[in-house]
Amino acid sequence: MIYKFFILGLGLLYGPAAVFAMSDDQGVLCGIILEQRSGDTLPGAVIHIKDLNRYITANHEGTFCVELPAKKYSLRVSHLGMRPVEKEFQVEADETVQFTVRLSYSAFDLDEISVTASQANRLDQPGTVNRITREGIEHIQASNLADLFELLPGQLSGTPSLTSARQSLLRQVPTTSEAARANALGTGVFVDGIPISNNANLQDDVSILNAAPGSLPPFSSVAGRGLDLREIPPDLIESLEVVQGVPSARYGDITSGAVLVESRAGAIAPQARVRFNPNVLDANLTAGFGDGVQSTGISFSGNITRSQDDPRQNLDLYTRLTGQLNLSRSWLENRALRTSLRLQASQFLDERRLDPQDEVSRRERESQDRFLQVSMNTSYAFNRDRSHKLSLDASVGIRRQVGYYAENISRMGLFPLSDARTDTTIIGTFGSSQYRNETTVEGNPLNIYTRAEYSNRFSAGQTVHNYVLGIEWKHDSNRGDGRQFDVLRPPRQNYSVGDRPRSFDDIPSLNMLSVYGEHRMAGTLGDRVYSLQAGLRFDNVSPESPVKGRFGTVLAPRLNASIELLRNVHIRSGYGVTAKAPPLNMLYPGPRYFDVVNFSNYATNPAERLAIVTTAVVEPDNSDMRAYTSRKFELGTYYDSDPVYLSLTFYRENTNGAYGLTRDVYPVVFDRFEATEFPENAPPVINPDPVETRTFLGAYDLPANSRFIFNKGLELDSSVNLNRTWLSSLSVNGALISTTAGDDGLNIDTNRLFGSSVPSRIGIFEREQIERSRLSTSIRSVHHISDLGLVVSLLAQTIWMDRDLRSNVQLNPVGYITDEGERTMIPPENRTDEAFDDIRRQVSDTYLIEERRPPLWLFNLRLSKSFAGGVEASFFANNVFSSRPMYESARSGALIRRNPPLFFGFDLSIRIRR
């Protein structure tokens, strides 16, 4: 070991001349880079000073020295084919800091690793941010991006599965389906700074009236929701940051949070990985060369995944194919111009194959999504330390989405059909009582994104300032064939609801122009550290002028502040407004049709048949649709002094104007006719004077900007790095989360329209709310023996409290709709009158009972081991004690089993060492 320190001394002696010529308030940082097992030096290792975005290369003896202003720095040290290491160092004025960094081909050979989520307290990304590193991603053996969220405070561990779309739910507990969709829709996913948009997804269907408004289509789809997190394989991710607090003004079109994904790029030792469990078979190949700074960086990642819900049958299947190519290079003198290019091509197939035993309905469905994206990040630095620069990000993404479902349909008797697209009365056609429907929904979304940003970082005394100005433009459109089917064999519908094919070609595009500015500063007051970030963002949705948008504008201030009250004890607070623009399926839901029969005569002789049908068309007007907003506030304190970290954060989020589908009624006035003659081989002769005129109340679903979500909670995040053989680290996190979700709109009792007889009037009611609270904790112990390359982690998850109830349940109507379609509102003082007993709402005694679930425990085990020759193996077992208790529901009396079943999986990877 003595020769290593001798080499370090040579590095200090013959390093940069700045060692001997330090200016005021300057210090020197010197280090040596070694290989973990052999102790050999690593010439050519790259040291990235993240605070300055400056790169340094170790000399032929594996050492380096650099003069830096006195402050705390975060460094990332990497070498071709080895696992990077991040370190923090404090540089003092007129002093030299010396350190040693050890790199390894396997993360499990390192002296220190992080396999849990840790909070990132940085100037460039304020607010509550949780960071998950590459070793944590590998250790948890995730099969998709959603699996990684279980490391966040308040999130629960579950069974890995890819058989249904995976969505995020940040700082919120499950209440209503619409609240969950709003949370997922408002969670932005940014890959290398580029947002992945789902705004142009139109893979939707017309809900049958037997189902609730907004019911999902028969095939898998996330239209009107957040990105399907199954699309992002974890093996393509280098690191992950989840911003749950007040984000930087740079991030827009979000409400719940931002998921910042850094893709794997640069020098990566060739690695093949196979992961399998009873539900998933996953294979990955990754390799990379160069660092993109000193040399051209080229990397490739490929993934193929096959999943089925039940290994005993192969009917429900999900297949994922993904390839990603990253290129990066520096240009010009001092490498002032840096460019990175990312190309991703993917195909996703979610299918339910035809069951040979299903001889009646013969249902099948399929959802296919092909995705191609090209993105570019370019920056030009005006000075050597890259503190003053101009950057340009651009991306083009195209998709081809095809949803398909088919089934045999049986209807009660023969029924008249119409293909009219306008309000009219025409001669219709008789459809068959039994037929097979095949419906296809084909969309071709196009997503374009560009952003230009100017930033300037400089020091003034003891304070570092960073000014950021940016402008961005987003384009989302869809030019697909749309929803198509045979009009004589339409999808299943009822209650005189008609259905027509629809093309997406005439749907306008959605554009959004945004500008933002931000000032970040950090420094010291005496011997105490503080930071302040103030930003302002302006979003113009479908611009008609620079300050006016067809769907409104949003001005979003954001503020974060932190100050060190006591030594290593900080208090922080944040307030901000975030906004999410409406997706295309909410802006342009398409027309709804009603087909009512004026006259019907189905004779044995086809020449004598006649059907007269009146068609009424409803075209929802969503010109007043606006972006929904969330007002975020958080206040917390944290203690950060190695080896202990402790954080406590209170937050409150008010989301208003979220999207949902509301069921409304439309009065259709039509005439009934009778025949005067029934000639042979000819249709009946109709009396032109109607027998009667009726009003039909048709029900349909239309988008509304009326949902609200109120979240508040208290989060705990703590960890202790003991670095003992028997216990390396211990982390405890948890959250008390309370969510209230509801609708500011009114609820029409349309269910009464679907009975055997239509009532003379139906009630209009205020909508109820769902309130739910949950307290959970997760204790993770990590046992790391670096000499053996062994990591064992244990999770003890406890749900201490989980309860929910319905509130604001109104039994008295606030209005009513007559069978002629007239709407009348009832004054508040008259709503309890006996005159409205016929439309008063009836609920059971148990409907208002609060559901209180008993405490629940779950224990998981994960083990990772590295072997000679670059082989790594991992094993996990969820619910190792197979604890699945049952409890009796207070509302329904049913016995409900809790916790997922015992589940296990295995992961094997081979890395080629160079």
Side-chain angles (χ1 to χ4, degrees), residues 53-200:
N53 201 21
R54 183 176 174 184
Y55 291 83
I56 301 169
T57 303
N59 61 22
H60 66 283
E61 295 172 334
T63 65
F64 75 95
C65 285
V66 59
E67 182 184 3
L68 297 170
K71 65 184 291 287
K72 190 175 183 179
Y73 292 95
S74 176
L75 275 65
R76 186 176 190 269
V77 183
S78 60
H79 190 273
L80 186 66
M82 308 188 77
R83 306 311 303 268
V85 170
E86 294 191 4
K87 295 279 189 179
E88 289 188 348
F89 296 96
Q90 178 69 42
V91 175
E92 303 291 347
D94 301 323
E95 293 185 6
T96 299
V97 179
Q98 305 176 18
F99 68 94
T100 300
V101 174
R102 300 177 184 274
L103 301 182
S104 171
Y105 291 97
S106 170
F108 307 130
D109 292 335
L110 299 175
D111 293 331
E112 298 180 15
I113 67 170
S114 174
V115 296
T116 62
S118 58
Q119 289 209 4
N121 303 300
R122 309 197 315 267
L123 173 62
D124 61 330
Q125 182 50 67
T128 301
V129 182
N130 293 94
R131 179 177 174 83
I132 302 172
T133 62
R134 181 65 208 165
E135 50 262 35
I137 295 173
E138 291 186 358
H139 183 66
I140 202 173
Q141 300 175 54
S143 60
N144 66 94
L145 184 58
D147 290 343
L148 300 176
F149 290 166
E150 72 174 57
L151 298 175
L152 306 179
Q155 299 285 333
L156 302 181
S157 176
T159 299
S161 176
L162 295 174
T163 54
S164 61
R166 301 295 302 273
Q167 301 271 272
S168 59
L169 190 66
L170 301 181
R171 283 186 166 178
Q172 184 172 311
V173 288
T175 50
T176 67
S177 60
E178 290 179 333
R181 293 178 190 180
N183 187 286
L185 179 63
T187 301
V189 178
F190 299 79
V191 178
D192 297 333
I194 303 293
I196 308 299
S197 176
N198 195 46
N199 288 338

Side-chain angles (χ1 to χ4, degrees), residues 277-294:
N277 59 53
N279 290 351
V280 178
L281 176 61
D282 191 20
N284 299 273
L285 178 64
T286 306
F289 309 90
D291 60 12
V293 180
Q294 309 295 332

Side-chain angles (χ1 to χ4, degrees), residues 22 126 130 132 151 203 212 245 261 276 301 313 329 346-347 352 408 426 441 454 468 495 580 586 602 642 750 781 829:
M22 291 182 290
N130 293 94
I132 302 172
L151 298 175
Q203 299 299 107
V261 176
F276 51 89
S301 299
Q313 53 90 1
R329 184 172 179 177
S346 304
Q347 177 172 301
R352 166 73 182 185
N408 293 342
I426 64 172
V441 183
Y454 168 82
V468 177
Y495 306 111
K580 178 69 185 77
M586 289 292 167
Y602 185 82
D642 193 42
T750 56
S781 61
E829 62 273 13

